[in-house]
Amino acid sequence: MIGSSARLLRLLSLLSSRPSWTCAELAERIEVTDRTVRRDISRLRELGYSVDSEPGPWGGYRLRAGTRVPPLILDDEEALAVAVGLREAAQGDALGSDQAALSALLKLRHVLPGRIAERLGALDDAFVSLPAADGPRIRTGLLLELALACRSGDRARLSYVDAEGRATLRDVDPYRLVRTNRRWYFVARDVARDQWRTFRADRIDRIQPTGRPADLTDPPDAAWLVSRNTANGPYPLSATVRLPLPMDAALRLVPATVGTHRSDGPESTLVDIGGPDPDGLARYLLGLGTPLRVLAPDSVREALLRRTRELFEAHE
């Protein structure tokens, strides 16, 4: 005979699995008497669960929907199925927010029994996904390790391949994972350089805890840091422009992956935009098709004026 607490969980799991059960059916499944079932139903009601009963020989018990969220009771196969589904959602946008899927998967992995976690790990190794059209993909197992590192508060050792293809080892203080439209970024403090950095998650080979506490003094706005680095990082030149638009309209015109935005009052936004050279930036700014002012540098301002004059003279 199973204990009373385990029996209550088993009863709750059965009630959640189908619309209605007779008392005899529940007693047979749990291997107790009808009287024990009725007593356990009363205990569930005392705990706040709405269990309705239907009188008569064909009546029974049913868990009322929508009145309370019960603990999620999953058997081994169900837990594995949910974990795999969340992992796939974390790698795409089917739910509209892969960050939410990753967070849910992270919570589930914390409570999975060891035998289920091992099976999920085996699936992580066996599954292969083709790269998306917008860039490389990251293994969800590694994504979970990075998320755990951010939550742990411990310093970690990062095995990373930089933009030149060089393999490096870095001690970092993990802080946040940030998802852009194209890829995941790992935000952490580079201990040796004493700088907050962004690391492309698809270039991370592995991350290992060092057992030492992380120093998260004065952390940055992680989303802003990623936006700044992805918008301006690859380019040798950056221009600052003022758009006569509120922040939301400026973001629609110049995406966060192209520029770094700062509010300049309710109807104006400053945007830092990277480019290959002054003329290239001038062409991009003209293509926006909106009034703007180039605040810096002078080379971009002069290139924009020159191109504007050329367009004007060509249409005289």
Side-chain angles (χ1 to χ4, degrees):
M1 177 91 52
I2 60 177
S4 58
S5 297
R7 193 175 63 243
L8 283 178
L9 289 174
R10 174 62 173 158
L11 176 59
L12 190 57
S13 176
L14 290 172
L15 289 171
S16 303
S17 66
R18 77 183 203 193
S20 180
W21 293 82
T22 67
C23 185
E25 288 174 332
L26 291 171
E28 181 181 0
R29 294 293 294 270
I30 306 175
E31 298 181 352
V32 295
T33 64
D34 290 4
R35 180 180 178 183
T36 299
V37 170
R38 289 192 290 270
R39 186 169 60 246
D40 287 346
I41 291 291
S42 297
R43 291 185 62 190
L44 287 178
R45 288 168 174 163
E46 291 172 359
L47 292 172
Y49 296 100
S50 298
V51 182
D52 292 335
S53 57
E54 300 173 356
W58 304 108
Y61 298 103
R62 62 183 177 89
L63 192 64
R64 190 188 309 163
T67 56
R68 178 187 172 107
V69 179
L72 189 60
I73 311 294
L74 301 174
D75 63 26
D76 288 4
E77 297 302 322
E78 291 169 336
L80 187 61
V82 170
V84 171
L86 287 172
R87 184 192 59 191
E88 294 306 302
Q91 296 190 60
D93 58 1
L95 301 180
S97 172
D98 48 14
Q99 182 67 52
L102 175 62
S103 177
L105 181 55
L106 183 61
K107 293 175 182 178
L108 182 60
R109 289 287 286 261
H110 272 303
V111 297
L112 283 177
R115 61 185 182 279
I116 305 302
E118 289 179 4
R119 292 180 65 185
L120 186 60
L123 287 176
D124 285 339
D125 295 336
F127 282 1
V128 176
S129 297
L130 289 175
D134 58 359
R137 303 289 290 273
I138 176 175
R139 293 180 292 108
T140 307
L142 176 59
L143 205 60
L144 285 168
E145 292 178 19
L146 295 175
L148 284 168
C150 292
R151 295 185 61 177
S152 71
D154 293 331
R155 183 164 294 173
R157 183 152 295 157
L158 198 68
S159 178
Y160 186 72
V161 178
D162 64 18
E164 284 72 38
R166 296 171 301 198
T168 62
L169 283 177
R170 314 189 190 198
D171 282 357
V172 297
D173 293 331
Y175 180 52
R176 290 289 187 272
L177 274 173
V178 178
R179 171 73 171 174
T180 70
N181 290 333
R182 292 175 291 181
R183 51 176 61 95
W184 285 93
Y185 288 87
F186 179 56
V187 177
R189 190 178 73 89
D190 189 315
V191 175
R193 301 181 183 182
D194 192 22
Q195 291 180 343
W196 289 99
R197 304 290 301 275
T198 60
F199 301 92
R200 274 181 44 177
D202 58 278
R203 291 179 178 167
I204 296 173
D205 181 49
R206 64 182 182 277
I207 184 169
Q208 297 175 310
T210 64
R212 288 174 287 173
D215 179 5
L216 300 178
T217 304
D218 193 23
D221 181 325
W224 178 86
L225 185 64
V226 170
S227 175
R228 185 195 69 182
N229 290 350
T230 56
N232 304 316
Y235 299 108
L237 181 65
S238 178
T240 301
V241 302
R242 178 184 288 116
L243 299 176
L245 300 169
M247 178 71 78
D248 56 347
L251 281 166
R252 288 195 294 270
L253 183 65
V254 181
T257 52
V258 174
T260 304
H261 301 64
R262 308 187 302 280
S263 178
D264 188 40
E267 299 298 327
S268 181
T269 303
L270 299 179
V271 186
D272 297 321
I273 305 174
D277 50 56
D279 197 55
L281 270 172
R283 288 197 304 271
Y284 176 79
L285 294 175
L286 279 174
L288 294 178
T290 188
L292 55 85
R293 179 180 292 274
V294 177
L295 302 182
D298 290 340
S299 59
V300 175
R301 185 185 304 112
E302 293 166 359
L304 183 62
L305 288 172
R306 184 176 62 255
R307 282 197 159 269
T308 303
R309 284 194 296 266
E310 291 173 354
L311 285 172
F312 180 77
E313 293 169 358
H315 290 83
E316 280 187 332

